[in-house]
Amino acid sequence: MKDNFSSHSSAYATYRPTYPKALYQFLKEKLNTTENVWDCGTGNGQVAAELATFFKEVQASDISCQQLKHAIKKDNIHYSLQAAENTDFSDNKFDLITVAQAIHWFDFEQFYKEVNRVLQPNGLIAVIGYSLFRSNPETNAVILKFYRNIIGDFWDKERRYLDEQYQTIPFPFQEIKSPGFQQEYTWSFEHLVGYLNT
């Protein structure tokens, strides 16, 4: 698994967008129980923090010590430094496993073996992600040129999975159709540049 984010983890925690409340409501409605959840590839813990509002216990793991140092702290979140594909969690532990903006870095086959081991029967795995943001037409044109023509050749090959909205990742589970979720922000120019720098 690649670690591309340790070197700027504080900026990541400051500038990365959050996910809409409707997403968490959707997950809550699909769950039978809310005892234990694993937020895998937690990064700065933004998803773990939301899950902590309705789960009894949140396990949040990442391979980046720097990301975990900047993660959101709550009493029922337990952070650990471990790879997605090989954890020390007990069998059949989790009602839900979330992977936000991270699954494209994993070894799919090994990760899914771990999911099958630690997920409870009838548990859920939620793969969450976002690709390029949209703004006004003028900003969109500049960002798209930057994204495709200037830094396009420097993206890791796994980035394409986000551009394809995770529709092309291997996914050996029964899929539950979900609505598309949107999140809107009003950012300053400085915040926009901060986000782009991450």
Side-chain angles (χ1 to χ4, degrees), residues 83-141:
E85 300 87 350
N86 184 23
T87 70
D88 59 12
F89 301 131
S90 59
D91 294 356
N92 304 314
K93 180 176 178 68
F94 297 109
D95 306 302
L96 172 67
I97 296 171
T98 57
V99 189
Q101 204 73 3
I103 199 168
H104 52 288
W105 303 122
F106 299 171
D107 177 312
F108 291 117
E109 184 178 351
Q110 293 304 312
F111 174 61
Y112 290 146
K113 282 183 184 176
E114 192 69 350
V115 168
N116 281 316
R117 184 182 72 79
V118 301
L119 191 63
Q120 287 187 8
N122 300 316
L124 298 177
I125 175 173
V127 177
I128 305 161
Y130 57 85
S131 188
L132 195 59
F133 69 92
R134 297 286 180 259
S135 183
N136 59 64
E138 295 83 3
T139 303
N140 289 345

Side-chain angles (χ1 to χ4, degrees), residues 39-195:
D39 184 38
C40 183
T42 196
N44 63 15
Q46 61 174 248
V47 172
E50 289 294 331
L51 295 169
T53 65
F54 61 96
F55 268 91
K56 183 177 179 182
E57 181 179 297
V58 179
Q59 295 291 338
S61 66
D62 205 282
I63 62 165
S64 170
C65 184
Q66 288 301 315
Q67 286 279 21
L68 295 177
K69 281 182 183 178
H70 292 93
I72 299 165
K73 307 295 188 265
K74 288 195 174 185
D75 289 343
N76 60 335
I77 302 176
H78 310 283
Y79 290 104
S80 59
L81 187 67
Q82 48 184 339
E85 300 87 350
N86 184 23
T87 70
D88 59 12
F89 301 131
S90 59
D91 294 356
N92 304 314
K93 180 176 178 68
F94 297 109
D95 306 302
L96 172 67
I97 296 171
T98 57
V99 189
Q101 204 73 3
I103 199 168
H104 52 288
W105 303 122
F106 299 171
D107 177 312
F108 291 117
E109 184 178 351
Q110 293 304 312
F111 174 61
Y112 290 146
K113 282 183 184 176
E114 192 69 350
V115 168
N116 281 316
R117 184 182 72 79
V118 301
L119 191 63
Q120 287 187 8
N122 300 316
L124 298 177
I125 175 173
V127 177
I128 305 161
Y130 57 85
S131 188
L132 195 59
F133 69 92
R134 297 286 180 259
S135 183
N136 59 64
E138 295 83 3
T139 303
N140 289 345
V142 172
I143 297 300
L144 199 58
K145 180 180 178 183
F146 173 69
Y147 183 75
R148 289 183 179 164
N149 302 336
I150 297 173
I151 62 171
D153 290 342
F154 296 97
W155 287 115
D156 291 288
K157 62 182 176 56
E158 296 91 345
R159 172 73 191 182
R160 71 177 175 86
Y161 288 121
L162 283 168
D163 290 334
E164 295 162 356
Q165 300 180 337
Y166 284 151
Q167 295 300 303
T168 56
I169 63 168
F171 194 72
F173 305 101
Q174 180 183 349
E175 187 174 348
I176 298 171
K177 293 296 180 187
S178 67
F181 297 101
Q182 286 186 276
Q183 186 81 316
E184 294 186 5
Y185 296 96
T186 301
W187 280 352
S188 66
F189 180 75
E190 289 74 19
H191 192 107
L192 172 61
V193 171
Y195 168 71

Side-chain angles (χ1 to χ4, degrees), residues 10-49:
S10 61
Y12 192 93
T14 301
Y15 295 113
R16 282 291 168 138
T18 57
Y19 298 95
K21 298 289 185 189
L23 166 65
Y24 300 103
Q25 185 60 40
F26 175 80
L27 291 174
K28 278 198 281 189
E29 290 170 1
K30 299 295 180 189
L31 293 165
N32 296 319
T33 57
T34 54
E35 290 292 312
N36 296 291
V37 59
W38 173 25
D39 184 38
C40 183
T42 196
N44 63 15
Q46 61 174 248
V47 172

